[in-house]
Amino acid sequence: MMFALFMIVVLLVTGLIWLFDSLVLSKKRPAGVDEPVVVEYAKSFFPVILMVFLIRSFIVEPFKIPSGSMMPTLLAGDFILVNKFTYGLRVPILNNTFLKVNKPARGDVIVFHYPPNPSIDYIKRVVGLPGDKVGYLDKRLTINGRRVDVEDAGYYEYVMSGLNVVEAKQYHEQLGVKKHDILVHDVMGSYDTDTIGAKFLEGEEVTVPDGHYLAMGDNRDNSSDSRVWGFVPEQNLVGKAFFIWMNFDQGSRIGTKIE
């Protein structure tokens, strides 16, 4: 969000300089006199900045994965692309939808403004849609009274902070038409009172409110998600993650489609 604001400011400054020179300064400039350097730079940068701004705001935006909360689907260090129009076109900064397209589907990997601090972007998987009744007990999801299907996929080892190697159980999980992998650890979660996570631990189910989504990380026991801070408002949506375009440590991940 801060980068978008920076882009708008630079776009306005360079555009106004170009416009002011075209309407006022150029008419007073003697023949043969070069343009001021600031005007020359403004004219050079404005079209480029405008193009980048339009692409990032309405078509596709790059993001870097900062943590392992979406493992094994996404790894820390993955550079991904996010489709900005699949959930509708939005006013930059304000994030209000002015052209509706699609709604998130159960199982989509979404980028959104973190509800407690919208200046931060988060990435998680959509687990519950508006109106869904969701439960999570014994490491298994229940949606609208039906337990979500999973298949054993063996074990998955990875390195956590502090260079500690940990092992997790890996499963193939089926959310609607979406099949993806999740990790679960042999630990019990701990949540503040009245959070969604605390209700899950008590065997309760929650109903997703209208205009909101329940999101969880694929690394189920190592993810700060809706169980901790609540539902994702539709207005916070940024886009749908769909492609890994770079990973400097693992080149084999380049070109991977995000499912």
Side-chain angles (χ1 to χ4, degrees), residues 16-36:
L16 288 174
I17 291 173
W18 188 356
L19 182 64
F20 184 69
D21 180 74
S22 299
L23 297 178
V24 180
L25 297 182
S26 62
K27 297 178 180 179
K28 299 180 180 179
R29 189 178 303 128
V33 176
D34 294 336
E35 295 176 338

Side-chain angles (χ1 to χ4, degrees), residues 86-88 100-106 108 129-130 211 213 234 237:
T86 190
Y87 300 141
K100 295 183 179 180
V101 182
N102 300 308
K103 298 281 189 180
R106 194 179 293 113
D108 283 0
L129 303 177
Y213 298 90
E234 186 170 353
L237 295 177

Side-chain angles (χ1 to χ4, degrees), residues 179-193:
K179 179 175 280 190
H180 56 275
D181 285 359
I182 62 171
L183 301 180
V184 297
H185 297 75
D186 188 20
V187 296
M188 287 295 294
S190 176
Y191 301 96
D192 292 339
T193 305

Side-chain angles (χ1 to χ4, degrees), residues 53-219:
F53 175 76
L54 292 175
I55 292 173
R56 287 180 61 102
S57 298
F58 305 117
I59 301 177
V60 66
E61 184 173 1
F63 286 88
K64 181 183 179 182
I65 303 301
S67 72
S69 69
M70 281 295 293
M71 295 175 68
T73 306
L74 296 170
L75 307 182
D78 282 343
F79 290 82
I80 67 169
L81 294 179
V82 174
N83 185 324
K84 296 294 292 286
F85 62 84
T86 190
Y87 300 141
L89 298 182
R90 297 169 181 269
V91 179
I93 306 300
L94 298 178
N95 217 43
N96 295 323
T97 303
F98 65 86
L99 179 63
K100 295 183 179 180
V101 182
N102 300 308
K103 298 281 189 180
R106 194 179 293 113
D108 283 0
V109 177
I110 60 171
V111 172
F112 54 92
H113 300 314
Y114 179 44
N117 183 359
S119 66
I120 301 173
D121 290 326
Y122 261 39
I123 183 167
K124 302 294 176 187
R125 189 178 298 276
V126 174
V127 169
L129 303 177
D132 279 349
K133 195 170 184 179
V134 182
Y136 186 70
L137 187 64
D138 298 330
K139 315 288 186 178
R140 293 284 298 275
L141 277 168
T142 301
I143 301 176
N144 298 325
R146 181 178 177 181
R147 210 171 193 196
V148 174
D149 293 332
V150 298
E151 299 174 8
D152 194 323
Y155 289 89
Y156 186 95
E157 286 190 350
Y158 65 97
V159 180
M160 291 188 65
S161 58
L163 301 180
N164 296 315
V165 177
V166 297
E167 185 178 72
K169 278 289 294 174
Q170 184 171 352
Y171 294 95
H172 303 311
E173 183 180 71
Q174 185 85 37
L175 281 177
V177 298
K178 307 278 187 178
K179 179 175 280 190
H180 56 275
D181 285 359
I182 62 171
L183 301 180
V184 297
H185 297 75
D186 188 20
V187 296
M188 287 295 294
S190 176
Y191 301 96
D192 292 339
T193 305
D194 294 330
T195 60
I196 293 174
K199 293 177 181 178
F200 285 162
L201 288 179
E202 293 297 322
E204 297 182 38
E205 297 181 328
V206 298
T207 300
V208 184
D210 289 341
H212 291 75
Y213 298 90
L214 194 152
M216 295 174 66
D218 289 347
N219 194 349

